[in-house]
Amino acid sequence: MFHIKTYNAISNKGLDRFNRELYQVSADCEQPDAVVLRSQSLHDQDLPSTVKAIARAGAGVNNVPVEACTKAGVVVFNTPGANANAVKELVLAGLLLSSRDITGGMRYVQSLTEMTDADAMGKLLEKEKKRFAGNELYGRTLGVVGLGAIGSMVAEMALALGMDVVGFDPALSVEAAWKLPSQVEKMDNLQALMARSDYITLHVPAIAPTRHMINAEVLQAVKAGAVLLNFARESIVDADAVVASLDEGRLGMYVCDFPEPNLLQRPDVLAMPHIGASTAEAEENCAVMAVDQLKDFLESGNIKNSVNFPQINLPRSGGYRITFVNDNVSGVLGNVLSVFTQNNINVLDMMNKSRDDIAYNILDVEQVPSAEVIKAIGDVEHVIAIRVLN
């Protein structure tokens, strides 16, 4: 029986995928094998030693102490792409709201509370509508920073609207490159994209290299009057630099999902309350992906969409499965295999993958490993954690 601890309101569509004959799911589990969460911060909490994995139902993992988890051999999963469509649609809303003064016009209409004559109101609005005129997106250039799951969908959407699209992503994976529309023109650097784009939309993760990637220096290169959209993470943008650029008249408008005090009450800022992934569909998709990845890891040892462990998948070869985590140094796997040799245990199949300082191994063996064998493997230098899967 696996014990799963949940934080936040995880969609039942995801939680129902846990077979209750194999899993006990509870918000107050004290010794969980794994954790499923959304926005709950774990930085100030002591994780029980029983925890083997954490699944974040969402893309960002800044609420999880990833480095500490890695050192403890705990796999951290996220769900990239599960909320991509929800964010993409909000980006579209941001593009439309920033290109035409829709909100200003609606506020003006709602201010006409003293008018009682519909004909008079119609004539007034016909006269005043020029105050809220804007421009069309067709033919404009959208710069997409970060061309992963969300960025590529935004690029496709913009192309369908008749926009020109340029993109920049220094960490573009081969898989993401294959999914990217061929019409997207790749830019060599961020400044070149800023100078070319009428609209710039950000879709990069919140990691150390991306902190304040939009800063005063980068904003010096922005095309005059351009609109910056941030539906990724607040730390990517230096809000003070954005305000300064708006005040200088260089940046035309800032649209974001991450309000800060210095952004409020500005007509050139459209701030939303972090609702990028707040759709029923996105929450369900994230929960389903998080649970499926967690089940595959707990039951078979496979890893997909981890932010700190390598991706690995080994089909079952029969026998009994063992997984272990070790420091990524030479000789560890050989020393573990020697334990099997000394105990006359035949290895049917195996796979070894590494990522940065961590290595992860899956082995299918012919005989049931005894407690002594498991202890001997755990005692091998640099082995961090070991599991036996039935």
Side-chain angles (χ1 to χ4, degrees):
M1 177 70 74
F2 293 112
H3 295 85
I4 309 297
K5 182 177 179 64
T6 62
Y7 290 96
N8 314 117
I10 306 299
S11 169
N12 286 333
K13 190 170 182 178
L15 296 181
D16 287 345
R17 298 172 79 87
F18 284 121
N19 183 340
R20 291 308 194 265
E21 293 183 359
L22 296 176
Y23 293 89
Q24 186 178 81
V25 182
S26 170
D28 53 10
C29 177
E30 295 184 357
Q31 299 294 315
D33 294 289
V35 172
V36 184
L37 53 77
R38 289 174 60 199
S39 59
Q40 173 71 34
S41 177
L42 299 182
H43 285 282
D44 297 325
Q45 299 189 30
D46 293 326
L47 283 179
S49 60
T50 54
V51 173
K52 304 167 184 65
I54 297 172
R56 159 77 165 100
V61 291
N62 52 320
N63 56 324
V64 179
V66 177
E67 185 176 351
C69 288
T70 305
K71 292 179 179 178
V74 176
V75 183
V76 180
F77 296 95
N78 68 344
T79 57
N83 60 7
N85 190 70
V87 177
K88 177 201 76 175
E89 291 184 359
L90 196 61
V91 171
L92 174 58
L95 288 169
L96 293 170
L97 290 170
S98 62
S99 63
R100 307 178 67 172
D101 192 8
I102 297 170
T103 55
M106 293 172 68
R107 283 194 298 268
Y108 175 70
V109 169
Q110 293 299 321
S111 73
L112 304 178
T113 55
E114 295 183 1
M115 298 193 71
T116 57
D117 188 318
D119 289 338
M121 179 177 289
K123 291 177 181 178
L124 176 64
L125 294 176
E126 188 66 27
K127 176 185 175 182
E128 297 295 333
K129 68 180 183 181
K130 58 181 178 292
R131 294 167 48 186
F132 311 106
N135 60 264
E136 297 181 10
L137 298 175
Y138 185 89
R140 303 281 174 161
T141 299
L142 175 67
V144 182
V145 182
L147 298 168
I150 298 175
S152 62
M153 290 182 70
V154 169
E156 290 180 357
M157 174 192 70
L159 290 168
L161 291 169
M163 302 183 78
D164 297 320
V165 181
V166 297
F168 173 70
D169 190 337
L172 185 64
S173 67
V174 174
E175 182 180 2
W178 276 107
K179 296 179 181 178
L180 196 64
S182 60
Q183 301 97 314
V184 177
E185 182 181 349
K186 318 302 188 301
M187 305 302 289
D188 293 330
N189 54 65
L190 182 56
Q191 283 84 346
L193 179 143
M194 300 287 283
R196 177 85 172 273
S197 305
D198 300 299
Y199 301 84
I200 303 106
T201 181
L202 309 175
H203 301 289
V204 296
I207 55 178
T210 63
R211 177 173 174 77
H212 286 182
M213 70 180 298
I214 304 299
N215 50 45
E217 180 181 357
V218 169
L219 287 170
Q220 286 297 313
V222 75
K223 183 177 181 179
V227 176
L228 176 65
L229 302 99
N230 179 16
F231 291 93
R233 280 290 183 270
E234 63 271 32
S235 63
I236 295 165
V237 172
D238 182 344
D240 291 334
V242 165
V243 168
S245 186
L246 290 169
D247 288 342
E248 292 170 4
R250 181 177 296 275
L251 189 65
M253 183 169 287
Y254 182 45
V255 185
C256 72
D257 209 15
F258 312 99
E260 297 185 35
N262 60 345
L263 299 175
L264 303 183
Q265 301 299 317
R266 294 189 63 106
D268 50 9
V269 173
L270 297 176
M272 304 176 194
H274 201 182
I275 57 175
S278 295
T279 67
E281 295 87 349
E283 292 179 9
E284 289 177 354
N285 292 341
C286 287
V288 167
M289 184 182 289
V291 169
D292 285 351
Q293 291 170 175
L294 203 54
K295 286 171 56 183
D296 196 20
F297 172 72
L298 292 174
E299 296 175 22
S300 299
N302 298 320
I303 297 176
K304 181 180 181 181
N305 291 328
S306 170
V307 300
N308 62 337
F309 272 64
Q311 181 159 306
I312 185 170
N313 186 297
L314 182 66
R316 288 277 190 158
S317 302
Y320 302 87
R321 177 158 288 192
I322 296 172
T323 69
F324 69 92
V325 183
N326 61 274
D327 296 319
N328 189 20
V329 297
S330 63
V332 179
L333 180 57
N335 290 336
V336 170
L337 291 176
S338 69
V339 173
F340 292 123
T341 301
Q342 294 164 10
N343 289 272
N344 297 314
I345 295 177
N346 183 37
V347 177
L348 301 172
D349 202 356
M350 63 173 289
M351 184 175 287
N352 165 270
K353 296 284 186 178
S354 63
R355 177 174 179 173
D356 300 326
D357 297 329
I358 282 290
Y360 181 76
N361 311 264
I362 302 177
L363 301 95
D364 288 336
V365 297
E366 195 169 27
Q367 296 94 337
V368 179
S370 66
E372 290 76 15
V373 168
I374 298 304
K375 183 179 184 306
I377 295 173
D379 288 341
V380 171
E381 187 177 8
H382 296 295
V383 170
I384 298 170
I386 181 171
R387 296 176 59 214
V388 179
L389 288 69
N390 293 335

